[in-house]
Amino acid sequence: MKKNNLVDNVKYPIYARPLTLAEKLATTLKLLPIKCNICGSLSVISITTDNFRENCICRRCHSFNRQRQIAFVLCNGITNGSIGTLNEFVNKVGLSVYNTEAGGVLHNYLSQMNDYVCSEYFGDQYKGGEFVDGKMHQDLMFLSFENARFDVVISTDVFEHVADPYIAHKEVHRVLRMGGRHIFTVPFYQTDFLDEKRASLDNEGKLVFHKEPLYHVDPLRSDGVLVFNIFSIEMLGKLAHLGFRTNMYHLYNPINGILGPNGVVFEAIKER
Ligand SMILES: [Zn+2]
């Protein structure tokens, strides 16, 4: 009987796999030569922990793995592969970009673009668009931007900290032009089908915990930032209802220092 190879094309769920040769080498040597797709340099990444996603730091631009994953989808998705590095992208591509963070390596490069807006969340005492210590405040659930303002929205591990992430996705949909895209990463259960709701706000805005409180490290807050949700395949269906067609990319590209079994980046394109 002929072997059915279709199974090779099933990309979801993404089950755990053993380390690849490049990953074994990188872990042993604690470094790996790469062509960095952010700074564009021939460089070396340093590996200091076995959590590849938040590690593998480029010695030239200090980008880490997850940032290069976002840059990979941004550059290759928009230019159809003709521009491979963020350094080149920001100088050649004229788009309006909104970044939901106002710091870090991606921000440093994107801020070279002519129409670039960035923000942070400083607390509900501020109005959207207000500046706090020179940085714009925005609440992702109530963005102050006009409709169809942006071609691209970028968020990297932000939506898990939003009390109602699908209200925020609806807002992102509103401020994107038709065909515009939201490129993002979130903590994602690669073999689960329903989002894990860890906390929420009740009708009076009071915090309710459904699971043990989980906090992520945040440069702006010493006690960390609360995780409301960890996502799964359910998210793709909900985004479809909002009018997005969402590509889920499972990246592995050691040449660019994109290592590990969980290089998952989403590209939600506003289709209707
Ligand atoms: Zn670099």
Side-chain angles (χ1 to χ4, degrees):
M1 205 168 87
K2 203 168 167 272
K3 190 173 167 243
N4 181 355
N5 287 323
L6 258 186
V7 72
D8 296 341
N9 295 287
V10 176
K11 300 292 189 202
Y12 188 90
I14 303 166
Y15 291 103
R17 58 156 171 77
L19 293 184
T20 64
L21 192 60
E23 287 163 357
K24 277 184 193 161
L25 202 66
T27 313
T28 309
L29 300 174
K30 302 200 182 318
L31 55 83
L32 196 72
I34 64 159
K35 163 98 165 45
C36 178
N37 67 316
I38 289 192
C39 62
S41 312
L42 290 174
S43 180
V44 169
I45 51 170
S46 306
I47 291 106
T48 54
T49 74
D50 50 10
N51 177 6
F52 287 117
R53 190 171 185 256
E54 307 299 306
N55 201 246
C56 306
I57 295 151
C58 171
R59 291 190 185 170
R60 299 262 182 165
C61 70
H62 306 291
S63 65
F64 60 90
N65 192 356
R66 177 158 52 82
Q67 295 167 327
R68 289 191 297 275
Q69 294 168 15
I70 288 271
F72 189 91
V73 170
L74 173 68
C75 298
N76 288 293
I78 287 171
T79 72
N80 241 333
S82 69
I83 293 179
T85 72
L86 189 60
N87 186 36
E88 194 184 349
F89 181 89
V90 296
N91 289 298
K92 288 194 177 160
V93 177
L95 292 175
S96 55
V97 175
Y98 169 46
N99 184 4
T100 61
E101 278 175 300
V105 172
L106 289 175
H107 162 79
N108 295 344
Y109 278 89
L110 292 169
S111 58
Q112 296 171 39
M113 298 182 84
N114 289 332
D115 189 3
Y116 173 68
V117 178
C118 58
S119 71
E120 294 281 351
Y121 177 79
F122 288 101
D124 55 12
Q125 68 271 40
Y126 299 104
K127 276 207 174 83
E130 206 175 316
F131 279 79
V132 184
D133 296 331
K135 288 177 179 173
M136 185 193 283
H137 162 80
Q138 290 290 346
D139 180 340
L140 281 164
M141 295 192 292
F142 309 98
L143 293 172
S144 69
F145 308 116
E146 74 239 45
N147 295 352
R149 166 71 179 82
F150 299 106
D151 298 298
V152 178
V153 174
I154 291 172
S155 68
T156 63
D157 281 20
V158 169
F159 273 61
E160 70 271 28
H161 304 299
V162 179
D164 192 330
Y166 296 104
I167 292 184
H169 278 297
K170 201 174 171 192
E171 274 293 87
V172 168
H173 182 272
R174 180 182 69 74
V175 303
L176 278 173
R177 67 162 174 79
M178 200 57 76
R181 59 195 80 193
H182 177 202
I183 299 167
F184 66 100
T185 58
V186 284
F188 193 79
Y189 285 129
Q190 299 182 38
T191 53
D192 276 3
F193 294 87
L194 295 178
D195 292 350
E196 179 182 86
K197 191 182 265 197
R198 300 190 62 93
S200 59
L201 297 179
D202 69 11
N203 291 338
E204 276 112 50
K206 232 181 91 209
L207 198 51
V208 181
F209 291 106
H210 309 287
K211 298 233 172 207
E212 179 89 5
L214 177 67
Y215 295 87
H216 282 171
V217 176
D218 182 2
L220 290 184
R221 293 159 195 87
S222 57
D223 46 353
V225 57
L226 180 69
V227 175
F228 283 91
N229 290 280
I230 295 182
F231 300 94
S232 75
I233 202 76
E234 180 181 10
M235 178 184 82
L236 305 185
K238 285 188 166 167
L239 291 178
H241 280 293
L242 292 175
F244 287 112
R245 180 172 56 80
T246 306
N247 297 313
M248 174 174 155
Y249 297 107
H250 187 205
L251 306 180
Y252 173 73
N253 188 11
I255 300 291
N256 293 145
I258 296 174
L259 303 174
N262 55 355
V264 175
V265 177
F266 301 93
E267 179 188 46
I269 300 173
K270 178 171 172 174
E271 272 200 342
R272 57 184 164 78

